[in-house]
Amino acid sequence: MMRSIAKWLVLLVIAGLATACSAGGGATDGPVVVRLMTHDSFDVSAELIATFEAETGIQVEIFKAGDGGEMLNKAILAKDAPLADVLFGVDNTFLSRALDNDIFLPYQSPLLGDVSDALELDSQYRVSPVDFGDICLNYDVAWFEEEGVPPPDSLGDLVDPTYAGLTVIENAATSTPGLGFLLVTIEAFGEDGYLDYWQQLAANDVLVVDGWEQAYYSHFTAASDGDRPIVVSYATSPVAEVYFAEETPVTAPTAAVLTDGTCFRQIEFIGILKGTAVEEQARLLVDFLLDKAFQEDIPLKMFVFPANETAQLPEIFRMYGHAADAPAQMAPERIAANRETWIQDWTNIVLR
């Protein structure tokens, strides 16, 4: 099941599991515990964790620490006495903040040979890309068919009077999808033009809510009794709609807008936290999370794409989940340098 078992066994000998320390640093007669700190959306098949634990003798303890931003804040505040050994889920919108705070140990996993170079954003290997997803506009297919209105195909469509009052988005200051969508507009219209676009969007009665769950399940017509048939979500949201349907539909009830430059590619990373007392075992966990078995579990657990290019996508993902061909991308350093100013200026235009 795992390609890396032989390598793991070698490292286990080196690590000296029989006399290894626990995450807290004290000696223990039981299995070594590696604590995995992650966001609330993390999910994995229990049998995969059980297999890893049985084959390595390592016990994995999963600690969910809030959304991505909250998780990172906790990790930074506790960097002198880390809350865990491995951090899963810091994304490229907050990556520079994590690296600037020097919370990770370098580790170049051999599994990175199976990961696209385009996803690797840290040349010092303090973090490794583990998955990615595209933040995109989604729309209710049936609503547009019934109303005889063409679905949106560009950012510009949203400010057309035809689409007045049809869109719900998430707050860029409180939501990852909201921030991702703001970054898309900055890339599309430039720093000199994106606020003008948002003024037009506000004038066209865009609805702003705190987070994705509220937008999708309280206002989006395809998933609620709301009145907004356009929502900022993910390119893989149509897969989830089909996967969780009581009866499998012939076609997905929602669709993502994948036109060039309309999506933001969100990349999630994993890294070993400085201060861990179980670095060798933490490396084994990183390898496991980058290896094919876990990577093939990701799509239907967290509805993101695996970073490992050898991982096979499930059929439903191949049918209904399509990554954007040309998503908007922005260097983490640029995001870090401007994020707070962009959010404040956006807030002044849209929310005040």
Side-chain angles (χ1 to χ4, degrees), residues 52-87:
F52 172 78
E53 292 179 331
E55 291 177 343
T56 64
I58 297 170
Q59 181 180 334
V60 179
E61 181 180 299
I62 296 172
F63 165 42
K64 293 188 176 183
D67 64 21
E70 183 180 1
M71 173 193 69
L72 179 59
N73 286 340
K74 289 177 180 177
I76 291 172
L77 289 172
K79 68 179 183 178
D80 293 330
L83 301 172
D85 305 295
V86 176
L87 184 73

Side-chain angles (χ1 to χ4, degrees), residues 133-136 138 233-239 256 258 263 305 320-324:
D134 292 328
I135 296 169
C136 306
N138 278 230
S233 191
Y234 291 87
T236 51
S237 294
V239 181
L258 301 175
C263 299
F305 289 94
Y320 301 104
H322 305 287

Side-chain angles (χ1 to χ4, degrees), residues 145-276:
E145 289 178 349
E146 292 167 4
E147 296 295 324
V149 175
D153 189 50
S154 69
L155 298 178
D157 284 345
L158 301 188
V159 301
D160 188 294
T162 303
Y163 299 88
L166 301 186
T167 304
V168 56
I169 65 169
E170 299 85 2
N171 190 326
T174 58
S175 164
T176 297
L179 176 57
F181 187 64
L182 171 60
L183 297 178
V184 167
T185 65
I186 293 169
E187 282 293 281
F189 301 104
E191 293 189 51
D192 294 331
Y194 82 98
L195 290 176
D196 289 339
Y197 173 78
W198 279 100
Q199 283 183 320
Q200 295 175 61
L201 200 55
N204 216 31
D205 191 26
V206 68
L207 175 65
V208 181
V209 298
D210 286 340
W212 177 87
E213 187 169 341
Q214 183 183 3
Y216 204 89
Y217 291 115
S218 295
H219 297 282
F220 184 39
T221 55
S224 72
D225 294 327
D227 61 358
R228 302 277 168 153
I230 305 171
V231 64
V232 171
S233 191
Y234 291 87
T236 51
S237 294
V239 181
E241 290 290 343
V242 174
Y243 184 72
F244 290 112
E246 292 184 7
E247 296 183 8
T248 303
V250 176
T251 58
T254 65
V257 178
L258 301 175
T259 310
D260 290 359
T262 60
C263 299
F264 178 79
R265 177 143 298 170
Q266 180 184 23
I267 307 168
E268 288 194 316
F269 297 86
I270 187 168
I272 299 171
L273 289 166
K274 278 190 171 182
T276 177

Side-chain angles (χ1 to χ4, degrees), residues 9 12-13 15 18 25 33 47 49 71 82 87 90 100 111 115-116 149 171 188 223 251 256 269 296 310 322:
L9 294 176
L12 290 175
V13 172
V33 176
E47 57 267 26
I49 295 293
M71 173 193 69
L87 184 73
V90 60
D100 289 346
L111 275 301
V115 173
S116 168
V149 175
N171 190 326
T251 58
F269 297 86
E296 291 183 344
T310 71
H322 305 287

Side-chain angles (χ1 to χ4, degrees), residues 93-94 97 173 179 182 334-347:
T93 65
F94 285 105
R97 186 177 176 206
L179 176 57
L182 171 60
R334 184 183 173 203
I335 297 173
N338 297 282
R339 181 177 54 240
E340 301 311 317
T341 298
W342 287 338
I343 289 175
Q344 186 59 57
D345 290 345
W346 175 90
T347 299

